[in-house]
Amino acid sequence: MSATLSAARLAAALTPPVGVAYRDLADQIRMLIVDGRITAGSRLPSERELAAATGVSRTTTARVYAELREAGLLRSRRGSGSVVCVPFGESSASSLIVTPADDTGIALTYAAPVAPSGLGRAFEAATARLPGLLSTPGYLPDGLPALRELLAERYAARGLPTSPDQIVVTSGALSAVSLVARAFVEQGDRVLVESVSYPHAHEAFVSAGARLMPVPVVADGPWDVEAAVAMLSSGRHLAAYLIPDFHNPTAAVMSESERGTLARAMRQTGTLAVIDESMRDVNLDGVALPPSFGSFDRDTLLVDSASKTIWGGLRVGWIRAPHDLVMPLVQARMMHDLGTAAFEQLVLAEVLRDPEPVMTSALDGFRSQRDHLVALLAEHLPELDVARPAGGLSVWAGLPDHNSTRLVAAARDHGLLLTPGPRFFTGAPIAGEAFLRLPYTQSPAVLDDAVHRLAKAYEGRRADHAPAGPRLDLIA
Amino acid sequence: MSATLSAARLAAALTPPVGVAYRDLADQIRMLIVDGRITAGSRLPSERELAAATGVSRTTTARVYAELREAGLLRSRRGSGSVVCVPFGESSASSLIVTPADDTGIALTYAAPVAPSGLGRAFEAATARLPGLLSTPGYLPDGLPALRELLAERYAARGLPTSPDQIVVTSGALSAVSLVARAFVEQGDRVLVESVSYPHAHEAFVSAGARLMPVPVVADGPWDVEAAVAMLSSGRHLAAYLIPDFHNPTAAVMSESERGTLARAMRQTGTLAVIDESMRDVNLDGVALPPSFGSFDRDTLLVDSASKTIWGGLRVGWIRAPHDLVMPLVQARMMHDLGTAAFEQLVLAEVLRDPEPVMTSALDGFRSQRDHLVALLAEHLPELDVARPAGGLSVWAGLPDHNSTRLVAAARDHGLLLTPGPRFFTGAPIAGEAFLRLPYTQSPAVLDDAVHRLAKAYEGRRADHAPAGPRLDLIA
């Protein structure tokens, strides 16, 4: 709970102050707290230590901490120094994470859509099958048999022969990754990850004791395959976690030959491949995707969910596992949740019996929202480097002056919640200052309003920027 | 994943062999694997080490391992010795844990009922409220506001003023305990537990890095309050996990003065009280219970769920937390499941608006099933020491010849799955050989059949028992 943050580590997460130094530093630390990079209960370094590590004066760090204390983000504990707290009451958990503090604000922190039309009917149809379920205790540690069969057939139809026994139904894709981590990771195990990725999945591995080994980012995609192969050969890695299809957040797709090379390296080094395919179906432009990573390595753990193309509120995901890894997964579950809600599995089974209408409705919506957002950005924020993603649920925008955290802080003042780029980076978060993830899972009207606010924030922040120069050197 | 089991530890879990030594020892190890005390991936000691630790011959341990290898429970890995595996195909996860391998068998491994009448109507009523939910992304990291309000009112009605902000909805009580453990436990933290308890909750703490410190059992209940207070004073404990109301599995109720004493000791030592109240409402005889533990210590984390009196298939539980612990709980959730299924929360809210009909139907069923089971045991297994529990969902039967694991193995041969007593014991599992948990959550007809099978197993095993003598000395 109460990790102590060293002065060096905190200093590394900060950029040199601009404008009024103490205010800017307090602002930067506030963002680190708000977006979860510094968690509640963490102990900050002393004012003296922080001054030494950042090169600002002791008076400045004293004012930084006073500022944070006044904002209710820091309190002093007897003998424990300054401890971070996120004051309750000011903002509830939901308002902090999912929705802005007041109803007039907009949150673009999540890439999660409302339910597509047709899902309500699936709920009704599932209700008809409910009595059979209510006459059981309802515990389904590996999943509802009918759903496991449908999911197995779905893999088979994609060229991956699968038996229902190989499916473990979980409470979403993140819950699947977390389960894999808890089942297989031991304290100190190395896990290869993409240096840009979905942060909660990385946190799930860390929470299970893993040491993350990020593969460096290259210009045109998140995979430096050569570096990854070298890393795997250099020492034992328990697992590698990758998102090869419409990678979150970059939307990149791993090529067939890259998949082959990585799968071979993992097989040779005994590394467990944990492949997140939860974006694979969000194929907006009907791109011909390379075969699933599971085709290259039979021992892969494939992770997927209904959250993107169907609905996140279902909280249903699943793992396709090699036969001998199913039981350890189910056993790990016995210490955590005993199974996924039974009725939701009936609902998903209903959808999967005839998925086209629901999926088509979802994809049509995403496609027009994507096009709308890309057009808005071209018109109102032409400085941003925006490519139209062929799939996935967000635009990964390049920021010419590497100011993601400050831009996000400014947007917040305009009632727009965003996730700062560094949040998606493991290893060298500072590199994330050059990026901003902009999800298009909300309606065109909301996107209009959001881009309007973002443009205002962008204008407002440019004035007091320090010249971009030394900061570039920090990018890994 | 792959803990190495020392010969001393394995030997301590085994009782001296009776009958054909290698077969009996193989049988005992098989049970340890089947009920999860030895998990898949564990490395067993070498044949030589096990022989030395148990005092049997090397030939015997060689035959034990050969037997286990033939049964598919052990395989040899190059350089890794003998590794436990639970072969898939022979038995699926569900059949191993929840239901017996064939349809004619009975599982008394779980104390979880089918849904009470009236729950189907709550599902239908919830469907009417669904459209409002489907128009959101459905992520509820702290829970559905309407449900949090109803749960807060419920606590207030019981004398614990509570604001909705203090409620975090989870995916069941175990998921709540697991979340608490992941939010607050750091590697090596000590957690005080009852030496007899619900094992999955203990595993959740261990999985988060805790060192369990069991409080010794006393004759008339699971709490040795004096020992607990002494333990808390002897050194820092992060938390204490207790089940004071119709304790699972003993059905004991902690007295008001015991609550007061323990709460005071925890407050004085800065120990976080984690109190599992999930059996509190299963009050079959309308016993006047002492006030909730939360009345004695405002900083208590109260854990509860809808699984016992409503339905486990909902997978909805909750935590009532002090204000300053809510945010760390929600933050921990961001690495694991992002929230509980949305629709199930609507269903539970429907039930809680008028809980009496559903709860009364559930409790009436449990009461008559309990009376039926107690009468059956008195008639067919008078040797067992059975007290009629005033609440909870199982009988905690005393076994005069301390043979729980062997009795469970014998019952399995009669198609009856049970959990061996040691499974509920932390610290000195051998003490559990004197007990058997018999849940009464199934119909009278199933209980008839189960007790019939159990009586046959009991008769069959008595003949080849070693005289109970030295084994008693092992009880802690």
Side-chain angles (χ1 to χ4, degrees):
Chain A
M1 181 198 186
S2 51
T4 299
L5 207 64
S6 74
R9 228 175 115 206
L10 178 55
L14 301 172
T15 56
V18 293
V20 183
Y22 80 89
R23 230 175 253 152
D24 186 88
L25 287 173
D27 200 39
Q28 289 191 51
I29 295 177
R30 184 170 68 92
M31 285 309 300
L32 292 171
I33 295 170
V34 165
D35 76 8
R37 277 178 285 162
I38 301 178
T39 54
S42 300
R43 232 165 288 134
L44 293 192
S46 72
E47 294 166 0
R48 189 181 44 73
E49 290 166 336
L50 184 62
T54 53
V56 304
S57 73
R58 175 83 191 268
T59 321
T60 299
T61 56
R63 292 189 73 173
V64 168
Y65 281 21
E67 186 102 330
L68 293 169
R69 217 170 276 119
E70 250 169 60
L73 292 169
L74 215 55
R75 67 182 150 144
S76 299
R77 272 193 202 156
R78 203 163 18 113
S80 306
S82 298
V83 174
V84 170
C85 45
V86 183
F88 205 85
E90 185 205 300
S91 53
S92 85
S94 295
S95 76
L96 198 71
I97 297 153
V98 178
T99 53
D102 68 283
D103 289 346
T104 65
I106 297 173
L108 288 191
T109 43
Y110 55 87
V114 305
S117 70
L119 189 60
R121 273 194 302 282
F123 268 89
E124 276 164 36
T127 310
R129 292 175 192 262
L130 184 61
L133 212 51
L134 291 178
S135 66
T136 76
Y139 288 87
L140 299 159
D142 45 12
L144 188 75
L147 176 59
R148 297 170 81 202
E149 269 169 42
L150 286 159
L151 291 170
E153 283 166 20
R154 196 164 156 276
Y155 281 110
R158 292 164 177 213
L160 274 181
T162 303
S163 92
D165 291 346
Q166 288 179 263
I167 306 291
V168 177
V169 179
T170 66
S171 306
L174 176 63
S175 155
V177 173
S178 169
L179 184 63
V180 167
R182 283 178 273 122
F184 302 116
V185 171
E186 285 179 7
Q187 198 65 33
D189 277 345
R190 283 189 285 190
V191 173
L192 184 143
V193 295
E194 296 146 344
S195 65
V196 190
S197 183
Y198 176 61
H200 293 322
H202 287 197
E203 289 156 12
F205 278 109
V206 169
S207 156
R211 267 194 303 151
L212 301 185
M213 309 298 287
V215 176
V217 176
V218 291
D220 52 334
W223 303 283
D224 184 337
V225 170
E226 218 171 287
V229 171
M231 210 184 267
L232 291 174
S233 315
S234 73
R236 163 128 185 91
H237 286 67
L238 177 91
Y241 171 73
L242 304 171
I243 315 178
D245 303 308
F246 305 123
H247 174 265
N248 186 3
T250 68
V253 174
M254 191 187 283
S255 73
E256 183 158 350
S257 77
E258 289 172 326
R259 290 171 203 235
T261 306
L262 280 173
R264 195 163 44 245
M266 288 194 226
R267 222 171 24 244
Q268 283 167 354
T269 55
T271 306
L272 186 63
V274 184
I275 305 298
D276 191 331
E277 299 197 321
S278 53
M279 287 292 181
R280 189 171 167 95
D281 279 353
V282 192
N283 190 344
L284 303 180
D285 295 341
V287 175
L289 291 175
S292 161
F293 206 95
S295 312
F296 298 88
D297 181 359
R298 291 158 41 103
D299 288 339
T300 300
L301 286 168
L302 297 177
V303 163
D304 206 338
S305 95
S307 299
K308 300 308 186 186
T309 45
I310 301 173
W311 191 44
L314 284 184
R315 307 307 312 123
V316 182
W318 57 91
I319 304 168
R320 177 193 184 271
H323 283 283
D324 62 335
L325 298 187
V326 170
M327 189 57 77
L329 286 168
V330 177
Q331 279 180 338
R333 197 136 201 213
M334 295 296 110
M335 316 171 196
H336 296 287
D337 68 359
L338 301 179
T340 295
F343 182 71
E344 260 68 10
Q345 299 187 56
L346 273 185
V347 173
L348 181 56
E350 278 305 324
V351 174
L352 291 182
R353 282 195 187 94
D354 180 21
E356 282 313 312
V358 171
M359 299 256 303
T360 303
S361 141
L363 292 185
D364 286 350
F366 299 154
R367 199 177 300 114
S368 70
Q369 285 156 215
R370 173 199 62 182
D371 293 344
H372 191 73
L373 177 62
V374 169
L376 282 170
L377 292 172
E379 186 183 343
H380 300 286
L381 283 153
E383 301 91 336
L384 269 49
D385 181 12
V386 172
R388 178 189 310 260
L393 294 174
S394 53
V395 161
W396 185 237
L399 303 176
D401 41 11
H402 301 259
N403 61 350
S404 192
T405 299
R406 288 221 181 91
L407 178 57
V408 168
R412 199 180 162 88
D413 293 341
H414 291 278
L416 173 64
L417 284 194
L418 294 162
T419 312
R423 195 73 185 80
F424 299 94
F425 279 70
T426 292
I430 198 79
E433 289 296 344
F435 298 97
L436 189 61
R437 187 180 82 146
L438 295 168
Y440 41 80
T441 50
Q442 297 185 68
S443 70
V446 172
L447 292 175
D448 283 343
D449 193 353
V451 171
H452 185 68
R453 292 168 195 242
L454 182 61
K456 278 202 289 190
Y458 194 79
E459 275 312 307
R461 288 312 278 180
R462 281 211 293 198
D464 58 6
H465 263 148
R471 232 175 298 145
L472 275 173
D473 299 328
L474 287 172
I475 299 175
Chain B
M1 182 197 186
S2 52
T4 299
L5 207 64
S6 74
R9 228 175 114 206
L10 179 54
L14 301 172
T15 57
V18 292
V20 182
Y22 81 86
R23 230 175 252 153
D24 186 88
L25 287 174
D27 199 38
Q28 289 191 53
I29 295 177
R30 184 169 69 90
M31 285 308 301
L32 292 171
I33 295 171
V34 164
D35 76 7
R37 277 178 285 163
I38 301 178
T39 54
S42 300
R43 235 165 287 137
L44 294 192
S46 73
E47 294 165 1
R48 189 181 45 73
E49 290 166 336
L50 184 61
T54 53
V56 303
S57 74
R58 176 82 191 269
T59 320
T60 300
T61 55
R63 293 190 73 174
V64 168
Y65 281 21
E67 185 102 328
L68 292 170
R69 216 170 277 118
E70 252 169 57
L73 291 170
L74 215 56
R75 64 181 151 148
S76 300
R77 273 195 201 153
R78 203 166 16 117
S80 304
S82 298
V83 174
V84 169
C85 45
V86 183
F88 205 86
E90 185 204 303
S91 54
S92 84
S94 296
S95 76
L96 198 71
I97 297 153
V98 177
T99 54
D102 67 283
D103 288 345
T104 65
I106 297 173
L108 288 192
T109 44
Y110 55 88
V114 305
S117 70
L119 190 60
R121 273 194 303 280
F123 269 88
E124 276 164 38
T127 310
R129 292 176 193 262
L130 184 61
L133 213 51
L134 291 177
S135 67
T136 77
Y139 289 87
L140 299 160
D142 46 12
L144 188 74
L147 177 59
R148 297 170 83 200
E149 268 169 43
L150 285 159
L151 291 170
E153 284 166 19
R154 195 165 157 278
Y155 281 111
R158 293 165 175 211
L160 275 180
T162 303
S163 93
D165 291 345
Q166 288 180 262
I167 306 291
V168 177
V169 180
T170 66
S171 305
L174 177 61
S175 153
V177 173
S178 169
L179 183 63
V180 167
R182 281 177 275 122
F184 301 117
V185 172
E186 285 179 8
Q187 198 67 32
D189 277 345
R190 283 188 286 189
V191 174
L192 184 142
V193 295
E194 296 146 344
S195 64
V196 190
S197 184
Y198 176 60
H200 293 321
H202 288 198
E203 289 156 13
F205 278 108
V206 170
S207 155
R211 268 194 303 151
L212 301 184
M213 309 298 287
V215 176
V217 176
V218 289
D220 53 334
W223 304 283
D224 184 337
V225 170
E226 220 172 285
V229 172
M231 210 184 267
L232 291 173
S233 314
S234 74
R236 163 130 185 92
H237 286 67
L238 177 90
Y241 170 74
L242 304 170
I243 315 177
D245 302 308
F246 305 122
H247 173 267
N248 187 1
T250 67
V253 175
M254 191 186 283
S255 72
E256 184 159 348
S257 78
E258 288 171 329
R259 289 171 203 233
T261 306
L262 281 173
R264 195 164 45 243
M266 288 192 225
R267 221 173 23 245
Q268 282 168 355
T269 56
T271 306
L272 186 64
V274 184
I275 305 298
D276 190 332
E277 299 196 320
S278 53
M279 287 292 182
R280 189 170 167 95
D281 278 354
V282 193
N283 189 344
L284 303 181
D285 295 341
V287 174
L289 291 175
S292 160
F293 206 95
S295 310
F296 298 88
D297 181 359
R298 289 159 43 103
D299 288 338
T300 300
L301 287 168
L302 296 177
V303 162
D304 206 337
S305 94
S307 299
K308 300 306 186 184
T309 45
I310 300 172
W311 190 44
L314 284 182
R315 310 304 315 123
V316 182
W318 57 91
I319 304 168
R320 176 192 183 273
H323 283 283
D324 62 336
L325 298 186
V326 170
M327 188 57 78
L329 285 168
V330 177
Q331 279 180 337
R333 198 140 199 208
M334 295 297 109
M335 316 171 196
H336 296 287
D337 67 359
L338 301 179
T340 296
F343 182 71
E344 260 68 10
Q345 298 186 57
L346 273 186
V347 173
L348 180 56
E350 279 304 325
V351 173
L352 291 182
R353 281 193 187 97
D354 180 21
E356 282 313 312
V358 171
M359 298 258 302
T360 303
S361 142
L363 292 185
D364 287 351
F366 300 153
R367 200 177 300 113
S368 70
Q369 284 156 217
R370 173 200 61 182
D371 293 345
H372 190 74
L373 177 61
V374 169
L376 282 170
L377 292 171
E379 185 183 344
H380 299 287
L381 282 155
E383 300 93 335
L384 269 49
D385 181 12
V386 172
R388 177 190 311 262
L393 294 173
S394 52
V395 161
W396 184 238
L399 303 176
D401 40 9
H402 302 258
N403 60 351
S404 192
T405 299
R406 289 223 181 91
L407 177 58
V408 168
R412 200 180 160 89
D413 293 340
H414 288 90
L416 173 64
L417 284 193
L418 294 162
T419 312
R423 194 73 183 83
F424 298 93
F425 279 71
T426 292
I430 198 78
E433 290 296 345
F435 297 98
L436 189 61
R437 187 181 81 148
L438 296 168
Y440 40 79
T441 50
Q442 298 186 67
S443 71
V446 171
L447 293 175
D448 283 343
D449 193 354
V451 171
H452 184 68
R453 292 168 195 241
L454 182 61
K456 280 203 287 191
Y458 193 78
E459 276 311 308
R461 287 313 275 182
R462 279 211 294 199
D464 59 4
H465 262 147
R471 232 174 299 145
L472 275 173
D473 300 327
L474 287 173
I475 299 174

